[in-house]
Amino acid sequence: MNKINGYTQEEATGLIEYIYTGRNAGKTLSYLFETYGKEHSRAKGSVRNYYYAFLKRQDDSRVREILNGKDLHANAIRPFTEEETDAMLDKVLAERSKGLSVRRAIMNVSGGDEKLMLRMQNKYRNLLKKQPERVAQAAKAAGLPEEKTFLQRKLEREIDALYARLAVDLRKENARLREELENLRREKGE
């Protein structure tokens, strides 16, 4: 079986036809990735990643044949420059200093532009994960406490969950002991 990036040629053709038909009907790519994924037991992100990887394989004659006559293309990825990254980080942290969540801060900085908001959100997450020292320096300069790393946040969630489980067990034990104390008082005649 001859595959194109992990899909059979038939699957690739089906996906491209689905996207082409959906786009002509005015559907968003996000919607099409999600619905195609549900119909074919694939994750939305997996379908999206496959679609963009497929479009980049213009050197493959099978890909060109499947795309023939369809106006499907991917815009070039425009990475943040260092200056844009620093400016975005400063603006987001300034919003965070007002007590806003990261998501709300990015929404404010992006001015409601959903594509820009998504780019900023992804860039911010990437910075937290791959350059936490850069975020820490910018936060310190903005007078904010250091952003927590992914592992710190995960550990805090696990500790919170453990406390919650312990609290439930302790409440049950406390109720059992109260009931036992009441029974003993009744037996004693108090």
Side-chain angles (χ1 to χ4, degrees):
M1 196 174 300
N2 209 359
K3 293 197 173 201
I4 305 171
N5 288 2
Y7 278 38
T8 65
Q9 191 161 343
E10 184 179 283
E11 289 173 317
T13 302
L15 171 63
I16 296 305
E17 287 297 327
Y18 187 85
I19 299 291
Y20 178 69
T21 303
R23 292 297 286 161
N24 285 335
K27 306 289 185 206
T28 65
L29 280 174
S30 183
Y31 170 82
L32 293 169
F33 296 149
E34 184 175 347
T35 55
Y36 183 89
K38 284 179 183 175
E39 290 174 17
H40 295 86
S41 301
R42 293 182 184 266
K44 172 185 176 179
S46 173
V47 174
R48 179 195 62 235
N49 293 345
Y50 180 82
Y51 174 73
Y52 287 118
F54 183 87
L55 292 180
K56 290 179 185 175
R57 299 262 328 246
Q58 295 292 321
D59 58 326
D60 188 326
S61 62
R62 299 170 300 165
V63 170
R64 285 194 309 272
E65 182 182 326
I66 292 169
L67 290 172
N68 188 26
K70 296 173 181 64
D71 185 29
L72 296 177
H73 59 278
N75 294 333
I77 296 172
R78 194 177 73 77
F80 281 87
T81 65
E82 288 301 310
E83 294 78 25
E84 287 174 323
T85 300
D86 288 337
M88 182 269 306
L89 194 53
D90 290 343
K91 289 175 186 174
V92 169
L93 292 173
E95 290 294 303
R96 295 270 294 129
S97 71
K98 298 174 186 174
L100 301 175
S101 69
V102 171
R103 181 168 274 162
R104 173 58 67 180
I106 290 173
M107 187 183 311
N108 289 352
V109 170
S110 68
D113 179 337
E114 289 186 18
K115 286 185 180 182
L116 178 59
M117 185 172 73
L118 184 59
R119 281 186 72 225
M120 289 178 142
Q121 187 172 303
N122 289 339
K123 183 62 177 179
Y124 190 79
R125 283 185 186 149
N126 189 301
L127 287 169
L128 281 176
K129 188 174 184 180
K130 295 184 179 176
Q131 297 179 23
E133 66 287 342
R134 184 176 185 175
V135 178
Q137 283 178 329
K140 188 174 183 181
L144 287 170
E146 218 176 284
E147 290 283 348
K148 295 176 181 158
T149 66
F150 170 77
L151 291 176
Q152 287 171 322
R153 291 189 308 270
K154 183 177 179 183
L155 181 60
E156 285 179 359
R157 285 192 304 270
E158 289 176 5
I159 290 170
D160 290 345
L162 176 62
Y163 275 124
R165 286 192 307 273
L166 288 173
V168 168
D169 291 343
L170 287 173
R171 280 194 295 272
K172 287 179 184 175
E173 179 65 12
N174 200 6
R176 187 190 66 75
L177 289 172
R178 271 198 217 107
E179 187 178 322
E180 192 173 315
L181 180 61
E182 283 300 313
N183 288 339
L184 289 172
R185 285 184 177 156
R186 271 190 240 117
E187 286 178 12
K188 211 173 166 185
E190 292 181 8

